[in-house]
Amino acid sequence: MSNSVLNQALSKIRWRILPFVALMFAMAIIDRSNIGFAKHALQADTGLSNAAFALGAGIFFIGYAVFEVPSNLMLHKIGARIWLSRIMITWGLVSAAMMFAHNETSFYILRFLLGVAEAGLSPGVVLYLTYWFPQNKRGAAYGIYYFGVPVSLMIGGPVSGWLLESAQFGLTGWQWMFVTEGLAASVIGVFALFYLTDKPRDAKWLSHEEKAAVEHELEKERLLKADTGPSSWHSALINPTVLYFTLIYFTVQVSVYGVLFYLPTRIAELLGTGIGLEVGLLTSIPWIATVIVLYAVTRYADRKGQQTRFAALMLALAAVGMVGSTLSASLPLVILAFCLAAAGFITVQPLFWTLPTRFLSGAAAASGIAVIGALGNLGGFLAPTVKTWAEQQFDSAHAGMYFLAGTALVGTLMLLRSARKASAPGKQTNATQVARSA
C-alpha cells in the first residue's frame, strides 16, 4: 500500500476530526474550570465555606470515575458519533443547571452529576483516535486534541470574566456564566451528531484507496497487540501495566487541578482585585505559552520516538512551575511560573496516552483506557481538598502547592523508570514491548 496514499488520508483525517474533538475538549474544560472564576461570587451569594467549595470542586471526579468504564464500553459498542454527542448534550444541560446551586447540598449534587454526564469524554476520544491514527502519528494527534485545554482557558478565562460582569435576565453574574457556557456545549453536541464519523470505513470524505490504506496500517498494529496485550475488557482492568499507568496518570491529574482551580484566585490576589475581565486576560498568558510548547514537543517526541522521556520532562517542568508560583509576589514572575506549570502538565498528557494505546486494542482498550482515566482522575478530586488541608495543617499558604508539586515529581520518577526499562539492553524495541516494560 502506497505511503503517499496513507499520508494523504491521514492529512484529511487530521483536518476533519482533530479540530472538532479539540473544540469538544475545550468546552469540557470551560465547564469544569469556570467554577474557579465563580468562586468568590458563588461563595458570597450562597455562604459556601472554602472547605465546602473545595469538596464541591473535587466531587465532580467521583461521578466521572464511577461511570468512566461503562461509558467507554458503550462508545466501543455503539460508536463514537452517538455516544460523544450524548455526553456533550447532557453535560451542557447539567452545567447550565449550576445556576440553581444555592446551598452546599445542591452544589455537591450538581457537581457530581456534571461528572456523571461528562464521564467518558476524554478516554472516549483517546480510544476514538486509535481508530484513525497509527502509533507513530498518535502523539501529535493527541497533542492537537489537547489544544482544547489551553485554547479553552485562553479564551474561556476572559469570556468567563466578562460574563461574570454582564448579568442578564435577572440572573447574577455567576448564574449567567453557567447558563451561557453550558448551553453552548449542548448546541455543539447536537452538531456532533451530524459531523462525526465512527471509523475510516464509514468516512464518505475518504476515497476507497485512502480507507484501505488506513485500515491496513491499523490492522497490522492490532495483530501485534493481540499477541501480548490483554484479550478482554475485564482482563485489562487488573493488568499490572494498566495499573502502573493509572498511578502515573493520578499524579498528573493532581498537578493539573492544583493549578487549574487556583490560578485565577492567585492572580486576583496579586492584583488586589476581584475576578473579572482583567484577571481573565492575565490568566490567558500561560495558555498561549502552552499552545506553542504543546505543538512543538509532541511533534518532536513522535519523530524521535521518545514520548516517555519527554513526558517525564514535562511533568518535572510542571512541578518546578508550581513551586515557583508560590515563591514570589511579583506578578510577572508568578505568571512565568504558571507558564512553566501549565505547559508542563498539559503537554505531558498527550505524550502519556501514547503509552497505554501501544498495547491495548478492542474492548481491552475501551476498558483499560477508561480505568486509567477513571482512577487517575481521582487525583483531580483529591487535589483541591489536600491543598486546603496542607495549608491549614502547616499554617502556610504555600504548603498545599508544595505537596502537589511533590506528587508530580513522583510521577516524573515513574515515567523515567518506564523509559529506562524500555531502553534497557536486550529489550525488544517494538511498540508493544515498550509499553509492557513499564
mmCIF file with all atom_site columns, all heavy atoms in Angstrom, residues 372-383:
data_model
loop_
_atom_site.group_PDB
_atom_site.id
_atom_site.type_symbol
_atom_site.label_atom_id
_atom_site.label_alt_id
_atom_site.label_comp_id
_atom_site.label_asym_id
_atom_site.label_entity_id
_atom_site.label_seq_id
_atom_site.pdbx_PDB_ins_code
_atom_site.Cartn_x
_atom_site.Cartn_y
_atom_site.Cartn_z
_atom_site.occupancy
_atom_site.B_iso_or_equiv
_atom_site.pdbx_formal_charge
_atom_site.auth_seq_id
_atom_site.auth_comp_id
_atom_site.auth_asym_id
_atom_site.auth_atom_id
_atom_site.pdbx_PDB_model_num
ATOM 1  N N   . ILE A 1 372 ? -7.830  3.824  33.504 1.00 0.00 ? 372 ILE A N   1
ATOM 2  C CA  . ILE A 1 372 ? -6.740  4.781  33.740 1.00 0.00 ? 372 ILE A CA  1
ATOM 3  C C   . ILE A 1 372 ? -7.315  6.178  33.944 1.00 0.00 ? 372 ILE A C   1
ATOM 4  O O   . ILE A 1 372 ? -6.944  6.900  34.878 1.00 0.00 ? 372 ILE A O   1
ATOM 5  C CB  . ILE A 1 372 ? -5.751  4.773  32.562 1.00 0.00 ? 372 ILE A CB  1
ATOM 6  C CG1 . ILE A 1 372 ? -4.992  3.443  32.509 1.00 0.00 ? 372 ILE A CG1 1
ATOM 7  C CG2 . ILE A 1 372 ? -4.759  5.929  32.688 1.00 0.00 ? 372 ILE A CG2 1
ATOM 8  C CD1 . ILE A 1 372 ? -4.188  3.241  31.234 1.00 0.00 ? 372 ILE A CD1 1
ATOM 9  N N   . GLY A 1 373 ? -8.251  6.557  33.073 1.00 0.00 ? 373 GLY A N   1
ATOM 10 C CA  . GLY A 1 373 ? -8.870  7.869  33.211 1.00 0.00 ? 373 GLY A CA  1
ATOM 11 C C   . GLY A 1 373 ? -9.699  7.994  34.471 1.00 0.00 ? 373 GLY A C   1
ATOM 12 O O   . GLY A 1 373 ? -9.671  9.022  35.155 1.00 0.00 ? 373 GLY A O   1
ATOM 13 N N   . ALA A 1 374 ? -10.446 6.932  34.796 1.00 0.00 ? 374 ALA A N   1
ATOM 14 C CA  . ALA A 1 374 ? -11.351 6.973  35.946 1.00 0.00 ? 374 ALA A CA  1
ATOM 15 C C   . ALA A 1 374 ? -10.589 7.102  37.252 1.00 0.00 ? 374 ALA A C   1
ATOM 16 O O   . ALA A 1 374 ? -10.833 8.018  38.051 1.00 0.00 ? 374 ALA A O   1
ATOM 17 C CB  . ALA A 1 374 ? -12.218 5.718  35.956 1.00 0.00 ? 374 ALA A CB  1
ATOM 18 N N   . LEU A 1 375 ? -9.681  6.176  37.503 1.00 0.00 ? 375 LEU A N   1
ATOM 19 C CA  . LEU A 1 375 ? -8.949  6.190  38.766 1.00 0.00 ? 375 LEU A CA  1
ATOM 20 C C   . LEU A 1 375 ? -7.916  7.315  38.783 1.00 0.00 ? 375 LEU A C   1
ATOM 21 O O   . LEU A 1 375 ? -7.693  7.942  39.827 1.00 0.00 ? 375 LEU A O   1
ATOM 22 C CB  . LEU A 1 375 ? -8.280  4.839  38.999 1.00 0.00 ? 375 LEU A CB  1
ATOM 23 C CG  . LEU A 1 375 ? -9.238  3.642  39.105 1.00 0.00 ? 375 LEU A CG  1
ATOM 24 C CD1 . LEU A 1 375 ? -8.472  2.352  39.368 1.00 0.00 ? 375 LEU A CD1 1
ATOM 25 C CD2 . LEU A 1 375 ? -10.271 3.876  40.202 1.00 0.00 ? 375 LEU A CD2 1
ATOM 26 N N   . GLY A 1 376 ? -7.295  7.571  37.637 1.00 0.00 ? 376 GLY A N   1
ATOM 27 C CA  . GLY A 1 376 ? -6.332  8.657  37.581 1.00 0.00 ? 376 GLY A CA  1
ATOM 28 C C   . GLY A 1 376 ? -6.961  10.004 37.855 1.00 0.00 ? 376 GLY A C   1
ATOM 29 O O   . GLY A 1 376 ? -6.379  10.856 38.536 1.00 0.00 ? 376 GLY A O   1
ATOM 30 N N   . ASN A 1 377 ? -8.172  10.205 37.371 1.00 0.00 ? 377 ASN A N   1
ATOM 31 C CA  . ASN A 1 377 ? -8.841  11.481 37.569 1.00 0.00 ? 377 ASN A CA  1
ATOM 32 C C   . ASN A 1 377 ? -9.267  11.717 39.009 1.00 0.00 ? 377 ASN A C   1
ATOM 33 O O   . ASN A 1 377 ? -9.649  12.836 39.365 1.00 0.00 ? 377 ASN A O   1
ATOM 34 C CB  . ASN A 1 377 ? -10.066 11.593 36.647 1.00 0.00 ? 377 ASN A CB  1
ATOM 35 C CG  . ASN A 1 377 ? -9.736  12.296 35.349 1.00 0.00 ? 377 ASN A CG  1
ATOM 36 O OD1 . ASN A 1 377 ? -9.220  13.402 35.352 1.00 0.00 ? 377 ASN A OD1 1
ATOM 37 N ND2 . ASN A 1 377 ? -10.021 11.650 34.231 1.00 0.00 ? 377 ASN A ND2 1
ATOM 38 N N   . LEU A 1 378 ? -9.201  10.680 39.839 1.00 0.00 ? 378 LEU A N   1
ATOM 39 C CA  . LEU A 1 378 ? -9.454  10.909 41.261 1.00 0.00 ? 378 LEU A CA  1
ATOM 40 C C   . LEU A 1 378 ? -8.408  11.848 41.848 1.00 0.00 ? 378 LEU A C   1
ATOM 41 O O   . LEU A 1 378 ? -8.623  12.439 42.906 1.00 0.00 ? 378 LEU A O   1
ATOM 42 C CB  . LEU A 1 378 ? -9.465  9.570  42.019 1.00 0.00 ? 378 LEU A CB  1
ATOM 43 C CG  . LEU A 1 378 ? -10.668 8.671  41.717 1.00 0.00 ? 378 LEU A CG  1
ATOM 44 C CD1 . LEU A 1 378 ? -10.538 7.355  42.474 1.00 0.00 ? 378 LEU A CD1 1
ATOM 45 C CD2 . LEU A 1 378 ? -11.979 9.366  42.088 1.00 0.00 ? 378 LEU A CD2 1
ATOM 46 N N   . GLY A 1 379 ? -7.272  11.976 41.154 1.00 0.00 ? 379 GLY A N   1
ATOM 47 C CA  . GLY A 1 379 ? -6.309  12.991 41.557 1.00 0.00 ? 379 GLY A CA  1
ATOM 48 C C   . GLY A 1 379 ? -6.909  14.383 41.520 1.00 0.00 ? 379 GLY A C   1
ATOM 49 O O   . GLY A 1 379 ? -6.575  15.240 42.335 1.00 0.00 ? 379 GLY A O   1
ATOM 50 N N   . GLY A 1 380 ? -7.814  14.604 40.568 1.00 0.00 ? 380 GLY A N   1
ATOM 51 C CA  . GLY A 1 380 ? -8.499  15.882 40.495 1.00 0.00 ? 380 GLY A CA  1
ATOM 52 C C   . GLY A 1 380 ? -9.457  16.090 41.650 1.00 0.00 ? 380 GLY A C   1
ATOM 53 O O   . GLY A 1 380 ? -9.703  17.224 42.067 1.00 0.00 ? 380 GLY A O   1
ATOM 54 N N   . PHE A 1 381 ? -10.014 15.006 42.188 1.00 0.00 ? 381 PHE A N   1
ATOM 55 C CA  . PHE A 1 381 ? -10.858 15.098 43.383 1.00 0.00 ? 381 PHE A CA  1
ATOM 56 C C   . PHE A 1 381 ? -10.008 15.398 44.604 1.00 0.00 ? 381 PHE A C   1
ATOM 57 O O   . PHE A 1 381 ? -10.368 16.213 45.457 1.00 0.00 ? 381 PHE A O   1
ATOM 58 C CB  . PHE A 1 381 ? -11.628 13.790 43.591 1.00 0.00 ? 381 PHE A CB  1
ATOM 59 C CG  . PHE A 1 381 ? -12.318 13.704 44.927 1.00 0.00 ? 381 PHE A CG  1
ATOM 60 C CD1 . PHE A 1 381 ? -13.468 14.420 45.173 1.00 0.00 ? 381 PHE A CD1 1
ATOM 61 C CD2 . PHE A 1 381 ? -11.807 12.899 45.927 1.00 0.00 ? 381 PHE A CD2 1
ATOM 62 C CE1 . PHE A 1 381 ? -14.101 14.345 46.404 1.00 0.00 ? 381 PHE A CE1 1
ATOM 63 C CE2 . PHE A 1 381 ? -12.426 12.817 47.159 1.00 0.00 ? 381 PHE A CE2 1
ATOM 64 C CZ  . PHE A 1 381 ? -13.580 13.545 47.399 1.00 0.00 ? 381 PHE A CZ  1
ATOM 65 N N   . LEU A 1 382 ? -8.857  14.737 44.682 1.00 0.00 ? 382 LEU A N   1
ATOM 66 C CA  . LEU A 1 382 ? -8.010  14.860 45.861 1.00 0.00 ? 382 LEU A CA  1
ATOM 67 C C   . LEU A 1 382 ? -7.298  16.202 45.923 1.00 0.00 ? 382 LEU A C   1
ATOM 68 O O   . LEU A 1 382 ? -7.123  16.770 47.009 1.00 0.00 ? 382 LEU A O   1
ATOM 69 C CB  . LEU A 1 382 ? -6.979  13.728 45.867 1.00 0.00 ? 382 LEU A CB  1
ATOM 70 C CG  . LEU A 1 382 ? -6.100  13.584 47.107 1.00 0.00 ? 382 LEU A CG  1
ATOM 71 C CD1 . LEU A 1 382 ? -6.935  13.184 48.306 1.00 0.00 ? 382 LEU A CD1 1
ATOM 72 C CD2 . LEU A 1 382 ? -5.005  12.547 46.850 1.00 0.00 ? 382 LEU A CD2 1
ATOM 73 N N   . ALA A 1 383 ? -6.882  16.727 44.777 1.00 0.00 ? 383 ALA A N   1
ATOM 74 C CA  . ALA A 1 383 ? -6.002  17.900 44.759 1.00 0.00 ? 383 ALA A CA  1
ATOM 75 C C   . ALA A 1 383 ? -6.563  19.113 45.505 1.00 0.00 ? 383 ALA A C   1
ATOM 76 O O   . ALA A 1 383 ? -5.869  19.663 46.377 1.00 0.00 ? 383 ALA A O   1
ATOM 77 C CB  . ALA A 1 383 ? -5.660  18.270 43.315 1.00 0.00 ? 383 ALA A CB  1
#
